[in-house]
Amino acid sequence: MKKLGINVDHVATIRNARGELHPDPLTAAKVAIKHGADSITIHLREDRRHIKDSDVKKICKNKKIIVNLEIAANFKMLKIALQNMPDYVCLVPERRKEITTEGGLNISKNIFKLKKILNILNKAKIRTSLFIDPTIYNINLSKELNSNCVELHTGKISRLVKQKKNFSKELIKIKKCAKYAKKIGLEVHAGHGIDYKTAQILNPIKEIEEFNIGHFIVGEAFFDGIKRVVNNFKKILNK
Ligand code: PXP
């Protein structure tokens, strides 16, 4: 069975737009887990644009939730991770002005820092993962650095699928990388930009054990949920 990790960053984005408490990412996480999500992803960005330190604290404290904390690979973030002890940490690249995580880690440029951080996280028994573009080179480096898992960046294939363009070359690349990573002992995950269609395309790749999905789920939840919320208001207003 494939595992589904749900990213609740954008629940925090909506909450922050009002500067109040609703909708609460912890409540969203609990609902997602209740309905079958296997884990919850939160990305504590350096600019705190969505998830805040207090969210990390509250969500990690809830022992019914398996938490995957995404952080940039630096020692300030590592310290926060160790204070909160999530079940998993996924190291991601971060550029301040980007709208979302635009590509995978540049492992060779950050090799010593990544090695140190992974070593500390592994010792703390936190499952480690590196968010990488799907290349054999990146997979070999991830293995060398002792990461437990790799998360293959699916942004490119997701974009091609949405634009109804030919995605077969990218799919072959992802398949090849997933197979190779599994063969050399890495657990394989996939994430970024995934919607129903991309999930259907990637799901047959048996080596991918976990999908991490955020933006589409939060957006689609609006369409699936609005009927109920409108009905609730009609009941209140027509009493
Ligand atoms: N996986 C990783 C490592 C991410 O950084 C993100 C968010 O950028 C996701 C998965 C989820 O991507 P999306 O919100 O596009 O589904």
Side-chain angles (χ1 to χ4, degrees):
M1 271 267 272
K2 309 264 180 182
K3 287 186 276 177
L4 173 64
I6 299 209
N7 180 318
V8 296
D9 291 351
H10 295 302
V11 177
T13 304
I14 299 168
R15 175 198 59 192
N16 297 350
R18 268 292 162 101
E20 294 175 6
L21 300 176
H22 185 269
D24 172 33
L26 171 61
T27 310
K30 285 182 187 165
V31 174
I33 294 289
K34 191 175 158 200
H35 289 91
D38 296 288
S39 59
I40 296 297
T41 295
I42 44 177
H43 182 178
L44 186 71
R45 280 185 166 268
E46 297 197 68
D47 62 9
R48 309 297 197 266
R49 71 173 73 152
H50 37 58
I51 292 295
K52 311 281 184 200
D53 296 68
S54 54
D55 296 317
V56 175
K57 203 168 160 187
K58 275 199 307 185
I59 294 173
C60 288
K61 238 182 173 172
N62 188 313
K63 291 301 157 209
K64 289 191 183 141
I65 301 173
I66 294 178
V67 183
N68 176 35
L69 179 65
E70 284 178 13
I71 50 170
N74 65 55
F75 292 98
K76 227 163 96 183
M77 283 294 165
L78 173 67
K79 192 173 163 200
I80 295 173
L82 294 171
Q83 281 163 350
N84 289 283
M85 290 302 284
D87 304 273
Y88 314 152
V89 163
C90 179
L91 298 174
V92 300
E94 212 174 287
R95 285 194 300 112
R96 242 158 228 265
K97 293 219 170 97
E98 68 190 357
I99 293 173
T100 180
T101 318
E102 284 163 359
L105 286 160
N106 185 336
I107 304 185
S108 44
K109 200 174 150 205
N110 299 290
I111 199 142
F112 295 109
K113 198 166 57 173
L114 283 169
K115 195 178 174 101
K116 252 191 184 163
I117 292 174
L118 285 170
N119 191 25
I120 294 168
L121 290 168
N122 285 337
K123 274 196 184 138
K125 304 227 174 324
I126 294 172
R127 187 193 78 174
T128 50
S129 183
L130 296 179
F131 190 40
I132 57 169
D133 289 328
T135 68
I136 298 295
Y137 178 70
N138 283 332
I139 290 166
N140 280 329
L141 285 178
S142 303
K143 183 67 185 164
E144 255 176 58
L145 293 180
N146 273 328
S147 181
N148 303 139
C149 319
V150 283
E151 180 163 331
L152 303 177
H153 195 299
T154 54
K156 186 169 177 188
I157 190 166
S158 298
R159 199 169 49 249
L160 292 170
V161 171
K162 279 174 205 145
Q163 293 170 346
K164 298 192 177 8
K165 289 189 177 157
N166 187 346
F167 56 83
S168 57
K169 229 167 100 184
E170 188 64 16
L171 182 61
I172 290 167
K173 202 159 91 177
I174 293 173
K175 266 187 196 163
K176 203 171 117 195
C177 285
K179 225 182 176 79
Y180 180 71
K182 170 95 180 171
K183 196 174 130 202
I184 64 168
L186 289 159
E187 188 175 311
V188 186
H189 308 156
H192 208 279
I194 296 175
D195 60 7
Y196 290 139
K197 186 99 192 275
T198 318
Q200 281 162 352
I201 291 164
L202 294 173
N203 191 43
I205 304 175
K206 64 177 191 308
E207 289 82 8
I208 300 177
E209 291 184 35
E210 182 179 302
F211 287 87
N212 289 309
I213 308 175
H215 187 266
F216 181 79
I217 289 182
V218 174
E220 197 64 12
F222 172 80
F223 298 118
D224 265 353
I226 195 159
K227 195 169 114 193
R228 197 146 149 216
V229 182
V230 169
N231 278 337
N232 290 343
F233 270 111
K234 288 301 266 185
K235 273 190 223 150
I236 292 167
L237 300 178
N238 291 329
K239 252 190 184 165

